[in-house]
Amino acid sequence: MKTMQLFPDTKIILSIGGLHVTWYAVLILTGVLVAYFLAQKTMKKWGYSKTILEDYVIPMMALSIIGARLYYVIFEWDFYSAHPDQIIAIWNGGLAIYGGLIVGVLYSIYYFKRQRISALRMADCIMPGVMVAQAFGRWGNFMNQEAFGKIVPESYYALFPSFIKDQMYIQGAYREPTFLYESAGNILGFLFIYFIFRKRFYKRRGDCAFMYCIWYGVLRFLVEGLRTDSLMIGAFRVSQLVSLAIVLFGIFGLSGLLHKAFHWNHKPVILFDLDGTLQDSQHLVFETFKEVFRIRKPEHQLSQEELYSFFGPTLEETFLKYFKKEELDDVIALYQKINIQLHDTLLKPMPNAFETVSTLHEQGYQMAVVSNKRIGIVKMGLKAIHLEPYFDVVLGKEQLPEPKPNPSGLLEACNLLKVGHDDVIYVGDNVTDILCAKNMAAYSVGFSNDERQLEQQKQAHPCKQITDLRELIELCKEERAWSDNTIW
């Protein structure tokens, strides 16, 4: 294919001196920005800093453009070898999407591996938006009068806006708008993956990316067969061959065969709440609160409902409901004093906690404790129930950037364990713990042997509920993505 004669007035949107801003560049950049903001929205729900994508998008975009141009130039080498000055003239068009995708994927694998982030998970996040970017890019082809089909009669455009009809008059004839077919197909693919597939059919990490491969591969194969300006290798259209390979890759990925072949399933990091999860402190907590109120607020008789509500929130949050702010330090100090006095007498491990934690440790799982309780009390409790040696990281109130349900403590635990947070289980006994996990899209496990508490947990929609800690041992062996797949 030779470079087409373009109409400058349709190509350029703005000229300032010798600087020309082309529609092609503006449309491609707009598509990238839309994809970026869609991905950033999901990344925020997954607990990632916005700087992850900020540092990623510019080099990825630059390298993808280079890859797209090199791909095009390689397959049009007869022309560019005779006109080497045109190799860098991307403003005249000539970017092959598959070349950009190949380079973009390679860079993405490198970048996210350095960030300790699952490239497959990021592909699920980013690839639906890529379809929107591609849809915009095809309108850039339209402005450059490329990516067109066979000659059609003028009547073909009877129902089209005049600007499309006029722009599709190329080389002395009206051309079929294959750019429009692909652009519309990309938008439909985006809508299907973004609003239907990922919420109803998503099973394994990477499924959204694999569905993209199937959808776009089929779409591009069909549209490419209608084009008259395809890149060729002998008698074959290059993009159709690549499309078939991508569709097969998507099918193998969606079937789970690639996960098994390349061992893409990972062991989860297991984070635990403390009270009500590893240690049975209910009697201790109830008696401590009762004694505090007996001393500081004897006129208030605590109900059983109130006592249950004290699990989860910080002491500050709890006591502020009953005492003035200036009394808070004294009341908390009294609570801690009484709690320590009663600690060894009333505290006991949850049933099967030792067996579960020790077994998971032997099987090589990394584990940590994240609690809203003060660190001294947390460590005292772990020592009392003989679980202290099994945890690489223990975080209490003082180490949490924000108390639960803010997920910052879980993120900090992963950071100290030197792992990413793509595969994380958080086990807790109350709604606060479940919400904490959901606020970073971790896999939430609600644990309790109390029917009343299990019903309360259901309101927060945990990923899993268990009534015996030993269930964790078998749960962790499942081959799955250890994140909340309902959060996008």
Side-chain angles (χ1 to χ4, degrees):
M1 183 186 76
K2 298 295 185 287
T3 303
M4 300 298 163
Q5 181 65 40
L6 303 173
F7 298 102
D9 55 324
T10 64
K11 229 180 109 181
I12 298 172
I13 188 173
L14 178 67
S15 293
I16 304 174
L19 176 64
H20 303 298
V21 179
T22 67
W23 278 106
Y24 192 69
V26 169
L27 287 164
I28 287 177
L29 181 60
T30 301
V32 170
L33 288 174
V34 171
Y36 168 79
F37 286 117
L38 286 170
Q40 198 69 278
K41 179 182 176 184
T42 301
M43 292 281 279
K44 182 178 180 181
K45 293 180 181 179
W46 290 353
Y48 291 102
S49 165
K50 66 178 183 177
T51 60
I52 296 292
L53 279 188
E54 287 175 349
D55 295 341
Y56 163 77
V57 70
I58 298 300
M60 186 280 301
M61 184 178 173
L63 288 169
S64 294
I65 290 173
I66 292 171
R69 184 59 171 177
L70 287 175
Y71 186 101
Y72 183 85
V73 168
I74 288 169
F75 288 101
E76 285 292 313
W77 186 243
D78 287 346
F79 173 79
Y80 286 105
S81 61
H83 303 85
D85 58 308
Q86 290 295 307
I87 290 177
I88 64 171
I90 61 173
W91 48 87
N92 288 329
L95 295 178
I97 288 175
Y98 279 142
L101 285 174
I102 292 168
V103 174
V105 167
L106 292 174
Y107 174 72
S108 299
I109 293 171
Y110 162 77
Y111 176 82
F112 290 120
K113 185 174 182 179
R114 283 191 61 193
Q115 299 293 326
R116 297 195 302 234
I117 297 173
S118 166
L120 279 179
R121 194 181 192 197
M122 290 304 100
D124 286 331
C125 174
I126 293 168
M127 294 313 290
V130 168
M131 299 197 88
V132 178
Q134 288 173 316
F136 275 94
R138 282 309 178 201
W139 282 91
N141 295 139
F142 165 73
M143 299 307 295
N144 274 354
Q145 293 184 305
E146 56 190 4
F148 51 79
K150 65 181 184 296
I151 293 174
V152 294
E154 184 177 1
S155 59
Y156 180 92
Y157 285 100
L159 300 178
F160 282 75
S162 59
F163 78 94
I164 291 182
K165 173 185 173 182
D166 294 343
Q167 190 68 359
M168 292 311 296
Y169 190 77
I170 303 168
Q171 296 176 332
Y174 289 102
R175 298 284 182 161
E176 190 174 11
T178 51
F179 86 92
L180 184 60
Y181 304 161
E182 190 171 328
S183 180
N186 278 320
I187 292 298
L188 288 174
F190 164 74
L191 294 174
F192 170 69
I193 295 174
Y194 197 82
F195 292 106
I196 299 174
F197 178 83
R198 69 181 189 171
K199 295 186 178 180
R200 294 188 181 182
F201 304 107
Y202 186 93
K203 293 180 180 178
R204 302 175 190 85
R205 189 152 291 163
D207 276 3
C208 286
F210 296 132
M211 188 66 240
Y212 162 88
C213 290
I214 295 170
W215 185 288
Y216 184 67
V218 171
L219 173 66
R220 183 61 185 272
F221 183 90
L222 295 174
V223 172
E224 195 69 23
L226 302 174
R227 285 175 58 170
T228 58
D229 61 343
S230 300
L231 298 174
M232 306 294 291
I233 181 167
F236 299 99
R237 299 172 190 262
V238 174
S239 288
Q240 285 192 317
L241 295 175
V242 177
S243 294
L244 287 174
I246 286 180
V247 170
L248 289 173
F249 180 76
I251 291 171
F252 285 132
L254 213 53
S255 70
L257 292 175
L258 292 180
H259 290 77
K260 292 179 180 178
F262 294 101
H263 306 289
W264 281 344
N265 295 302
H266 300 287
K267 274 187 173 183
V269 173
I270 309 171
L271 309 180
F272 291 89
D273 173 48
L274 182 62
D275 274 339
T277 304
L278 295 175
Q279 65 182 27
D280 184 353
S281 59
Q282 185 181 96
H283 190 41
L284 169 62
V285 170
F286 283 2
E287 291 305 312
T288 304
F289 274 111
K290 287 177 182 178
E291 187 65 13
V292 169
F293 275 76
R294 187 187 67 78
I295 296 171
R296 295 298 300 254
K297 210 174 188 68
E299 71 280 7
H300 186 92
Q301 294 296 312
L302 289 171
S303 68
Q304 201 72 4
E305 198 72 36
E306 284 177 298
L307 288 168
Y308 274 108
S309 74
F310 295 161
F311 282 91
T314 63
L315 290 175
E316 287 83 354
E317 290 171 324
T318 298
F319 283 130
L320 272 175
K321 296 176 183 178
Y322 301 93
F323 298 94
K324 295 178 182 179
K325 191 173 182 180
E326 54 269 26
E327 298 179 273
L328 209 55
D329 289 342
D330 289 342
V331 173
I332 289 175
L334 177 62
Y335 177 94
Q336 291 170 339
K337 179 181 177 182
I338 295 170
N339 190 270
I340 290 171
Q341 290 171 349
L342 300 176
H343 192 274
D344 290 346
T345 305
L346 300 182
L347 185 73
K348 58 182 180 179
M350 293 299 293
N352 304 314
F354 183 84
E355 178 186 343
T356 300
V357 171
S358 60
T359 300
L360 290 171
H361 184 267
E362 288 172 7
Q363 292 176 353
Y365 290 93
Q366 290 185 280
M367 296 182 291
V369 171
V370 181
S371 171
N372 274 347
K373 294 173 73 75
R374 294 174 184 266
I375 189 62
I377 299 296
V378 172
K379 289 185 175 180
M380 186 187 302
L382 288 173
K383 186 175 182 180
I385 59 177
H386 310 293
L387 290 180
E388 191 177 29
Y390 297 105
F391 293 102
D392 304 300
V393 170
V394 176
L395 299 181
K397 177 182 180 296
E398 297 89 336
Q399 287 80 38
L400 307 190
E402 296 288 340
K404 296 181 293 183
N406 188 292
S408 60
L410 305 189
L411 295 171
E412 178 64 14
C414 292
N415 187 46
L416 293 172
L417 289 169
K418 295 182 171 54
V419 296
H421 69 267
D422 293 310
D423 290 284
V424 172
I425 296 174
Y426 187 49
V427 189
D429 66 306
N430 59 61
V431 170
T432 300
D433 298 320
I434 295 165
L435 292 177
C436 182
K438 284 186 171 290
N439 286 336
M440 59 175 272
Y443 191 89
S444 53
V445 175
F447 161 68
S448 182
N449 45 30
D450 185 313
E451 286 295 328
R452 176 176 170 180
Q453 200 164 24
L454 288 170
E455 282 302 314
Q456 290 177 343
Q457 291 174 10
K458 286 179 182 178
Q459 297 173 14
H461 307 290
C463 299
K464 179 80 174 177
Q465 283 187 296
I466 59 175
T467 57
D468 188 326
L469 281 174
R470 288 176 297 187
E471 294 177 56
L472 273 177
I473 298 170
E474 291 304 312
L475 175 65
C476 291
K477 294 177 183 177
E478 292 182 10
E479 293 187 354
R480 52 163 299 123
W482 294 106
S483 53
D484 192 330
N485 295 335
T486 66
I487 297 174
W488 294 92

